Each structure stands twice: as structure tokens, then as C-alpha cells.
Amino acid sequence: MAPNLPFKLNNPDLFRDKSLVGGEWVEAKSSKRFDVYDPGNGKVWATAPDNTAEDTDAAVKAAHEAFLTYRRENPKSRAQKLLKWDALIRENRDDLASIVTYETGKPIAESQGELDYALGFTWWFAGEAERVQGTIQTPSAPNRRVFTVKQPIGVAVALVPWNFPIAMILRKAGAALAAGCTMIVKPSPETPFSVLALAYLAEQAGFSKGVFSVLTTSLDNTPGLSESLCRHPLVKKVTFTGSTRVGKLVAKICSDGLKKCTLELGGNCPFLVFDDADLEQAANQLMALKWRHAGQACITANRVYVQAGVYDKFADIIKEKTAALVVGHGSEKKTTMGPVTTPRSLDKADAQVEDAQKQGGKVILGGKRLMGTSGYDGYFFEPTIITSAKKEMLIAQEETFAPVMALFKFDTEEEAVQRANDTSMGLASYYFTKNIDRTWRLLENLEAGMIGMNTGNASAAESPFGGIKESGYGKESGKDVAIQEYMVTKTGTLTLSDHY
Ligand SMILES: O=CCCC(=O)O
């Protein structure tokens, strides 16, 4: 049944190219399918069902039907299924990583790294399932007890991005399934197969029909399908990761039905390097953070502010390290940076580089798209570094989501904080300094939901993930907060007899 794939799977059953609705592998009602491209060569390598709004009702009803039973399942049993899912994903890690590489373009080692990161979520939320607790209180009124119980909210919908198609799903689904919710995932049109493979493994792990469903769709039908899922009266929770523009639309639509939302939106994250920083440490962290998936992470460093005393030296270090990156197809072992996932990102990178140059920015490395040059058929852009960056530039004002790094110079801590916070977004901020007082001041003064102190890697299953300002609201991962995004709190008040 599997088409001829451009790569070999040790477990060919993992490749699923139908939607999973109520435990059945199905085509869209229209029978239409859409093409999925390999960003590394721009060629179609498989197709998936092009679901539309007319496909949502059946999926939601099946998820609701499943919820009526799953909500009553003992938390230990949910935890055991999550652990089984975790074990199966672990067993199939390398195959799943190959699928991710062909969908997103990221180097195979990065895809494997994404799997390892993502498995933190299944493991963590298996534990969380049994840790949900209510409260009990003796209030001021006589003979009264007040208590709270936590219950799963209902059918949850996950609208997920293409940049981390396994990790983003397991972070959401881990919490939802641990809480006792059922979930319908609408993956990005670029990355349907990694999610379908996870759905297949969820079936194998013993989750009942309809507990975890997937509706794939094309770019054209994404808005209609997503809106109909958000508006469906049986959907009680929507979790979205993506741009701030679309996040605001999702929030507006969900507000009509007063649906509970978690929004993980845009970043435009600052990365501050002070004169007293360990420059080698800062540079190594920046390399890993910025070039991870060719600059396409919401928490990537978008604006790098370097204090005047170390600016030139730091620029030289970063340039030397970046020049050593090997750009190529993600499946090749020697590749350390792959293509961007969609050609739209190339246009954005071109526009930001051109704008920066017009405004006096100096391109000290790269600067051009590689696509179309010898050996580069896919959506490749040179790893690019721009110095003398200014706040008026596009690159300071909008997320890049491509391998372009801008270095801004600053003089004082106050100036750095003011410029770092000079954005509508507040996802993550990073800084490098050896001054302990400054470390604490910056933690308090930077406007972001996540703060990396002498690190560019702050994401983990144990740590609450989420932004403030226009980077959204709600937390994913971490203790208590994430699972409770999928729960409601009920207050019980019991009056006892006078002689209890
Ligand atoms: O792109 C956003 C997610 C990145 C992460 O989970 O570290």
C-alpha cells in the first residue's frame, strides 16, 4: 500500500497516507488528495487526503464518543498507554526521524534530536496523569466542606506547525491524553506523515478508536477545516502553535464559543551578549539555537544584541563557526544545515537581507538563496550574517524564520533591555553574562515567557513552555500547568448535618 518512498523504512507499516478518524483509516469525503514536497529537492514525494470542513463533523463526533469512555479510564491505565506509546515511538525513532527529514528538510541528526526531545513529553505526561489532584478546605461557614475536582475538558483540537511536527504534537497530545481528553490533530500540509505515523503507534499502544485522530489537509483548505473544527460545539479546547497573525484569528473564532485556548505564537526573540560573557559559550549556544532547523524555530534568536566592547570579536567568532556549516539535503550525513521548509521562507529571507543592505547593514557571510545553483534543487539559503543591524530594519521587527542572523550593537544594560523589549512579542529571551546581579535583574526586566540565562536551550518537558504579550497564552509542558490546560475545575460544597 505504501507508495515508493525516496527512503527506506525499517518498519514500512509506519507510513500511513490516509486520515485516522474514529479508528478508521479514511480518505477525505471528496476523495481529493494533496502533494507533499521534499524541501531538499522541491519534488513531490507523497500525497495525503485533502480534508475540508465537510470532514470535520464525523471526526469530532467520533472523538466525542470516545471521550465519553476515555474520560472515565483510570489515570494509571492512561499512563500505561502513554508509556507504551512512548516505547513504540522510541523503537521507531530512526524511521520517524527519516519521515521528519523528508517533510521538513532538517538534517537527520536534528530530526533524531527532535525525537529524543519529543519523547520527553510522552514520558513526562505519563507521570502527570496520576498526579492530578483537587483540593479540600474547611471554610468559615459551619459544618461545611469545600472541595475541587479536576476533570478532562472534552474533545481537544491541535492545530500544529511544520517546524517540529513530532515534538509539537507529543507536547500537546501527551498532556491531553494524560488528562483524559481525546484529541484531533490537524497537521500542517507540509508534515502530515510524521503525525499519521504517531497515530498508527497510538493505535498499537492500545488507545481506543477515536481517542487520537488526524485530519490532514492542503494549504488551501487549512483555514476552512481549522475554522470548522474550532467552531464545532463538541470541541471544548483548541491548542494552536503558529504565527501571531493566525493565532489572533483562532482566538477570535474560539471566543464565539468561549472555547478554552492555548496559543503558542511568534517569537522575534532577543539574544544578549554582554562584555563580561564567556564568548565561546555564548557563540556555541547561539550556533545551536540560531541554525537549528535553518532558523525555523519560534524560540530562535531573531535579534542578537552584542555589547560594544566585544561586538567585533563576537562577530568574528560567529562568522568563523557559521562558515563551517555544511548545507545540503537533510538525509546526507555530512549536512549540518538543511533547506527551509517552504519557498515562502526564501522570499522572506531575500526581503530582509535586501532591506538590511539598503539601510546600511553589512552582509559578512552568505546573503543569497542557493536554490537553483549547482547541486541545490531544494529551498536552500546561505547561512547569512548581517552586522551593523538597526532597529528600523525589517529583520528587527518581524520573525525571520530562515537562516539569517542580525547582530546589533549596544552600549549599556538599560539600552539592551529597552531594545530587547521593543517588540509586541514575548516568547523567549536569552542573555550571556557572568554578573550575578545582572542575571537576576534581567530575569525580572525582560518581557518574555521563557528566559535563557547563559543558555540557548531552555525547552524541556519539565519546564513550562509559553509566551507572554503577543506570543500567546497558556503553558505547555511543566508540572501541573500543562495538563490543567486540558481540564476543568469543579467546586463541590457539602453541608454536613449538625451532629456529623
Ligand atoms: O518552534 C517552536 C518550538 C521549539 C521548542 O519546543 O523548543
Side-chain angles (χ1 to χ4, degrees):
M1 77 169 251
N4 267 342
L5 298 177
F7 54 94
K8 191 175 157 327
L9 289 175
N10 297 313
N11 177 4
D13 285 345
L14 271 187
F15 188 80
R16 301 272 136 179
D17 59 1
K18 295 201 170 121
S19 299
L20 182 63
V21 172
E24 308 297 328
W25 294 96
V26 294
E27 293 289 351
K29 275 192 178 157
S30 66
S31 302
K32 289 195 179 138
R33 299 178 66 83
F34 66 95
D35 293 335
V36 179
Y37 294 83
D38 172 0
N41 61 21
K43 293 197 181 112
V44 175
W45 65 276
T47 65
D50 194 0
N51 290 289
T52 65
E54 65 167 1
D55 294 288
T56 56
D57 191 54
V60 176
K61 283 189 174 142
H64 180 69
E65 191 61 31
F67 173 67
L68 297 179
T69 310
Y70 188 63
R71 67 195 286 263
R72 298 192 177 281
E73 198 164 313
N74 187 281
K76 183 165 180 180
S77 159
R78 289 185 215 138
Q80 283 165 331
K81 285 178 186 167
L82 277 166
L83 283 180
K84 178 78 183 153
W85 199 22
D86 178 273
L88 289 170
I89 296 167
R90 235 167 257 279
E91 251 169 54
N92 290 281
R93 166 192 184 260
D94 291 351
D95 277 353
L96 288 163
S98 295
I99 297 175
V100 170
T101 284
Y102 276 83
E103 289 180 329
T104 64
K106 66 178 72 170
I108 192 72
E110 272 193 42
S111 297
Q112 290 166 348
E114 176 178 345
L115 259 298
D116 297 338
Y117 167 51
L119 281 161
F121 299 120
T122 35
W123 185 261
W124 174 260
F125 284 112
E128 283 290 276
E130 288 187 275
R131 288 182 205 132
V132 173
Q133 286 178 341
T135 59
I136 181 147
Q137 207 186 336
T138 306
S140 51
N143 293 352
R144 203 176 253 199
R145 297 294 179 270
V146 174
F147 48 93
T148 57
V149 290
K150 305 277 175 188
Q151 293 185 312
I153 191 167
V155 176
V157 160
L159 309 172
V160 282
W162 44 255
N163 57 348
F164 293 91
I166 297 271
M168 295 305 93
I169 285 163
L170 293 185
R171 186 155 69 197
K172 294 172 190 301
L177 301 190
C181 293
T182 56
M183 177 167 260
I184 302 173
V185 179
K186 190 223 56 78
S188 269
E190 290 78 9
T191 53
F193 304 115
S194 41
V195 187
L196 291 169
L198 289 179
Y200 167 70
L201 295 176
E203 269 188 328
Q204 304 295 304
F207 287 108
S208 313
K209 287 177 188 300
V211 170
F212 187 78
S213 305
V214 182
L215 280 178
T216 57
T217 192
S218 62
L219 194 59
D220 286 347
N221 286 321
T222 288
L225 174 63
S226 305
E227 178 163 354
S228 70
L229 283 169
C230 294
R231 288 204 186 280
H232 199 293
L234 291 175
V235 169
K236 301 296 178 201
K237 162 84 192 179
V238 175
T239 171
F240 169 76
T241 298
S243 70
T244 294
R245 184 187 67 79
V246 176
K248 286 181 182 179
L249 291 173
V250 170
K252 272 191 197 127
I253 293 167
C254 287
S255 73
D256 282 345
L258 290 182
K259 308 268 163 89
K260 192 167 174 175
C261 270
T262 301
L263 300 172
E264 300 292 355
L265 310 179
N268 197 7
C269 307
F271 185 103
L272 278 44
V273 183
F274 287 86
D275 283 347
D276 61 1
D278 176 338
L279 293 192
E280 199 54 32
Q281 180 191 40
N284 287 338
Q285 292 290 309
L286 182 57
M287 289 295 295
L289 176 67
K290 179 66 202 185
W291 305 128
R292 175 186 184 208
H293 195 5
Q296 302 170 101
C298 52
I299 54 159
T300 198
N302 211 56
R303 298 168 290 142
V304 181
Y305 295 99
V306 188
Q307 202 159 12
V310 293
Y311 185 89
D312 291 338
K313 187 168 175 203
F314 190 72
D316 285 346
I317 298 175
I318 282 291
K319 180 178 170 188
E320 192 184 328
K321 287 182 188 287
T322 304
L325 291 176
V326 179
V327 178
H329 194 285
S331 63
E332 287 166 24
K333 276 217 168 67
K334 63 179 193 318
T335 296
T336 49
M337 201 179 89
V340 290
T341 303
T342 76
R344 303 186 291 282
S345 298
L346 293 176
D347 297 338
K348 196 162 188 193
D350 278 338
Q352 289 196 351
V353 172
E354 197 187 318
D355 168 79
Q357 280 176 309
K358 270 194 198 137
Q359 302 202 52
K362 294 189 190 73
V363 176
I364 61 164
L365 192 73
K368 294 188 299 297
R369 58 171 83 195
L370 287 164
M371 187 179 175
T373 64
S374 166
Y376 294 105
D377 296 328
Y379 316 140
F380 292 98
F381 202 91
E382 291 176 315
T384 296
I385 301 176
I386 298 170
T387 55
S388 304
K390 300 194 189 79
K391 67 173 189 305
E392 295 76 19
M393 292 175 179
L394 277 180
I395 201 162
Q397 290 158 21
E398 53 179 36
E399 264 187 309
T400 305
F401 246 62
V404 182
M405 180 194 294
L407 299 180
F408 302 75
K409 197 183 278 185
F410 72 89
D411 288 308
T412 63
E413 182 183 321
E414 293 68 27
E415 180 194 353
V417 170
Q418 188 276 324
R419 290 172 68 182
N421 290 342
D422 187 16
T423 167
S424 59
M425 315 235 182
L427 189 58
S429 288
Y430 308 89
Y431 50 83
F432 288 75
T433 177
K434 291 295 174 196
N435 179 325
I436 192 78
D437 291 340
R438 173 184 287 150
T439 298
W440 192 257
R441 273 197 307 273
L442 291 173
L443 173 68
E444 291 188 353
N445 292 339
L446 287 170
E447 297 169 359
M450 294 173 286
I451 307 284
M453 300 173 235
N454 290 333
T455 182
N457 179 6
S459 307
E462 316 75 45
S463 311
F465 187 103
I468 57 173
K469 294 163 77 176
E470 291 196 8
S471 292
Y473 43 74
K475 290 285 186 193
E476 298 192 307
S477 68
K479 187 163 163 357
D480 302 332
V481 284
I483 193 166
Q484 295 202 7
E485 296 277 341
Y486 295 89
M487 307 200 89
V488 288
T489 304
K490 249 182 212 172
T491 307
T493 304
L494 173 70
T495 299
L496 300 160
S497 66
D498 284 350
H499 309 291
Y500 78 93

